[in-house]
């Protein structure tokens, strides 16, 4: 490390490295709320609010995470943002709720349910060592694979819809989607580390430029935006919907296990010991910070917050793990969030361009789930649990329509394959016998 966790690099160095961290998470933080808003069919104004609030909340959440105050926060250079893991369950829950109530009331129930789950995670964070005994690598891997599969399927359906709606211009939809997908893959394979880190942003820029050349970029959204963003606490009347809680809670638990992995990687890169009491205090503080940040996000009506893994790559490349850099990352996030025009430009990007980027990102979500299982030296028992959870999750979700004996609430819960598959994975993990080696581990 050129600068360790407690060092204070020169201001110029800190600003430059902080901006690199900002670029690493910028596209991800903006893409997640944009995809959720598109899936919910929200207005330009509502989408702009969600994007701006996601940036601002991510900035303040990062400040919480890098500053260990009492038991809260990891004290590591860990950057926060809206997790892709919540896209599918949030869109699913909203689409189910909005059938029977106004959009504003449905959003209030979404954010209220997120707040309840976040408060539950505040309690669960105190037992984080035991949580890993329930949310094993098999459970986490199967759930994340299901998330990736559901997101890829949804994206392909969106691309098909865009193609059909475009009529004679359908070829342009395929061109933009394919070009962005190919560009991101190309830059991700580059020998230049900065091109690899910025591959998603570069792919979106290329797609945006080509779309602008063909006249499909709509800048009219910019005229509908406020000049300055002001967060509005309790923008919607918060309420708890228990079926939505049951859909979201497994994702909160899985997201916590992902954060453990992210924080452990940051801890290692910072040159700190792993496995001792101070390590577990940092992990517990990080998960508690995630939960408090997600609770704050719900109060200002935006989506759950969690650690981002991309920043570990920036730490590895720059050799800088200083928490001092995190102040500048947080500052960039808050600054750009206060100007809706930043999110507005992102909203002006044609859907085909966005879907080209998310198709790859969501595929990698599924692959990340596979990697979690594969990294733990799996035996046949592990793959049986993972495969069975995925198959049963989707089988039950596709069969709900014929289960006339189910109440509307249970039909909603079981219709979402990810949370259902997670429950099956947990249920299978407990009774299936482990080998002697696994039992000793």
């Amino acid at each position: 490390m050129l600068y360790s966790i407690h060092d204070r690099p020169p201001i110029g160095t800190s600003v430059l490295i902080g901006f690199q961290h900002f670029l690493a998470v910028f596209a991800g933080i903006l893409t997640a709320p944009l995809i959720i808003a598109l899936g919910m069919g929200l207005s330009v104004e509502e989408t702009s609010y969600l994007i701006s609030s996601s940036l601002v909340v991510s900035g303040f959440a990062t400040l919480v995470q890098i500053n260990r105050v009492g038991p809260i926060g990891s004290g590591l250079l860990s950057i926060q943002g809206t997790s892709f893991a919540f896209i599918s369950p949030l869109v699913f829950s909203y689409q189910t709720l909005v059938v029977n109530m106004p959009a504003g009331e449905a959003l209030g129930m979404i954010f209220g349910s997120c707040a309840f789950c976040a408060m539950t995670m505040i309690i669960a964070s105190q037992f984080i060592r035991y949580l890993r005994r329930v949310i094993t690598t098999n459970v986490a891997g199967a759930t994340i694979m299901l998330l990736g599969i559901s997101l890829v399927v949804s994206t392909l359906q969106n691309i098909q819809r865009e193609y059909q709606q475009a009529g004679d211009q359908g070829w342009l939809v395929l061109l933009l989607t394919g070009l962005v997908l190919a560009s991101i893959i190309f830059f991700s394979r580059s020998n230049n580390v900065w091109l690899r880190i910025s591959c998603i942003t570069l792919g979106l820029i290329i797609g945006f430029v080509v779309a602008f050349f063909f006249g499909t970029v709509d800048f009219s959204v910019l005229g509908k935006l406020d000049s300055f963003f002001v967060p509005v606490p309790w923008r919607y009347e918060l309420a708890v919907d228990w079926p939505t809680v049951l859909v979201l809670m497994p994702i909160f638990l899985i997201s916590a296990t992902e954060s453990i992995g992210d924080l452990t990687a940051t801890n290692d890169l910072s040159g700190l010991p792993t496995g001792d009491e101070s390590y577990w205090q940092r992990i517990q503080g990080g998960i508690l910070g995630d939960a408090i940040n997600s609770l704050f996000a719900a109060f200002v009506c935006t989506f759950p917050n969690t650690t981002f893994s991309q920043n570990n790559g920036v730490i590895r490349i720059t050799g800088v793990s200083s928490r001092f850099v995190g102040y500048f990352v947080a500052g960039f996030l808050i600054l750009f969030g206060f100007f809706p025009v930043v999110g507005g430009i992102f909203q002006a990007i044609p859907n085909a361009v966005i879907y080209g980027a998310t198709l790859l990102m969501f595929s990698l979500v599924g692959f990340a789930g596979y990697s979690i299982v594969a990294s733990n030296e799996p035996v046949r028992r592990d793959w049986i649990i993972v495969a069975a959870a995925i198959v049963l999750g989707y089988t039950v979700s596709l069969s709900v329509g014929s289960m006339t004996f189910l109440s509307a609430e249970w039909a909603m819960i079981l219709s979402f394959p990810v949370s259902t598959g997670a429950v099956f994975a947990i249920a299978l993990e407990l009774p299936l016998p482990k080998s002697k080696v696994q039992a000793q581990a």
Side-chain angles (χ1 to χ4, degrees):
M1 288 287 107
L2 297 175
Y3 295 99
S4 64
I5 184 169
H6 299 298
D7 291 338
R8 293 172 67 94
I11 296 296
T13 302
S14 298
V15 171
L16 178 61
I17 296 174
F19 193 68
Q20 294 298 332
H21 278 279
F22 171 74
L23 288 178
V25 299
F26 180 69
I29 291 176
L30 289 182
T31 301
L34 178 60
I35 293 298
I36 295 172
L38 287 174
M40 292 179 174
L42 302 182
S43 66
V44 170
E45 293 79 5
E46 292 298 334
T47 302
S48 174
Y49 178 88
L50 291 174
I51 291 174
S52 294
S53 58
S54 291
L55 282 171
V56 172
V57 169
S58 294
F60 284 110
T62 296
L63 291 175
V64 170
Q65 195 63 267
I66 64 176
N67 288 291
R68 184 168 176 79
V69 180
I72 304 171
S74 66
L76 301 168
L77 180 53
S78 180
I79 313 304
Q80 299 280 120
T82 304
S83 173
F84 280 87
F86 290 97
I87 293 176
S88 188
L90 287 171
V91 172
F92 170 82
S93 299
Y94 175 83
Q95 290 176 341
T96 305
L97 290 170
V98 81
V99 172
N100 299 311
M101 63 186 67
E105 186 177 343
L107 285 170
M109 284 195 167
I110 292 290
F111 294 124
S113 299
C114 286
F116 178 87
C117 291
M119 287 188 287
T120 304
M121 288 307 302
I122 290 174
I123 299 172
S125 68
Q126 306 308 301
F127 307 95
I128 201 65
R129 302 190 201 194
Y130 306 101
L131 178 63
R132 298 197 75 178
R133 298 179 184 178
V134 178
I135 309 299
T136 63
T137 53
N138 293 334
V139 175
T143 305
I144 293 171
M145 277 192 266
L146 278 165
L147 277 168
I149 292 168
S150 65
L151 288 167
V152 168
V153 170
S154 175
T155 301
L156 290 173
Q157 291 173 341
N158 290 333
I159 293 172
Q160 181 185 29
R161 186 188 67 246
E162 290 289 325
Y163 176 81
Q164 292 173 341
Q165 292 177 348
D168 294 339
Q169 294 291 306
W171 63 271
L172 183 56
V173 171
L174 299 181
L175 172 66
L176 292 173
T177 301
L179 178 63
V180 173
L181 181 62
S183 298
I184 295 175
I185 293 174
F186 173 78
F187 289 119
S188 70
R189 303 295 298 169
S190 171
N191 291 327
N192 186 305
V193 292
W194 298 114
L195 291 180
R196 290 204 302 271
I197 289 175
S198 307
C199 63
I200 296 172
T201 302
L202 292 172
L204 289 172
I205 290 173
I206 290 173
F208 183 84
V209 171
V210 174
F212 179 78
F213 176 79
F214 282 101
T216 59
V217 177
D218 182 13
F219 286 111
S220 64
V221 298
L222 300 180
K224 303 177 183 178
L225 306 178
D226 295 328
S227 57
F228 192 77
F229 169 74
V230 178
V232 182
W234 290 274
R235 181 182 176 92
Y236 305 98
E237 185 177 347
L238 302 187
V240 176
D241 179 68
W242 296 115
T244 300
V245 168
L246 291 176
V247 167
L248 291 174
M249 198 65 236
I251 313 304
F252 271 86
L253 292 170
I254 298 302
S255 179
T257 64
E258 283 189 286
S259 291
I260 292 174
D262 294 340
L263 292 167
T264 299
T266 309
N267 183 84
D268 292 343
L269 288 168
S270 302
L272 299 173
T274 299
D276 61 3
E277 187 59 32
S278 61
Y279 160 78
W280 280 110
Q281 288 177 356
R282 285 189 289 273
I283 296 299
Q284 183 172 307
I287 301 303
L288 178 58
D290 272 7
I292 291 174
N293 291 334
S294 293
L295 180 61
F296 172 63
F299 286 159
V300 296
C301 296
T302 191
F303 304 118
N305 231 264
T306 187
T307 56
F308 266 41
S309 60
Q310 296 95 317
N311 300 97
N312 287 323
V314 181
I315 294 174
R316 187 184 299 276
I317 292 166
T318 60
V320 177
S321 61
S322 169
R323 292 187 304 155
F324 184 66
V325 170
Y327 289 102
F328 295 92
V329 184
F332 284 126
L333 289 168
I334 295 170
L335 177 64
F336 280 87
F338 278 135
F339 295 97
V341 66
V342 175
I345 293 173
F346 213 75
Q347 285 178 259
I349 300 176
N351 292 345
V353 174
I354 298 293
Y355 294 144
T358 56
L359 184 60
L360 179 62
M361 288 190 285
F362 295 158
S363 299
L364 293 176
V365 169
F367 182 74
Y370 168 83
S371 298
I372 288 173
V373 180
S375 65
N376 201 43
E377 299 182 1
V379 296
R380 196 167 91 177
R381 168 191 179 276
D382 301 313
W383 289 120
I384 288 174
I385 291 173
V386 171
I390 292 173
V391 171
L392 288 171
Y394 261 99
T395 300
V396 170
S397 68
L398 295 173
S399 305
V400 166
S402 61
M403 300 179 185
T404 54
F405 56 89
L406 290 175
S407 65
E409 291 78 11
W410 277 107
M412 171 192 168
I413 295 167
L414 296 176
S415 292
F416 187 58
V418 180
S419 53
T420 305
V423 172
F424 276 121
I426 294 172
L428 291 169
E429 185 75 77
L430 298 176
L432 287 184
K434 298 181 179 180
S435 66
K436 292 183 179 179
V437 175
Q438 287 179 309
Q440 291 172 354

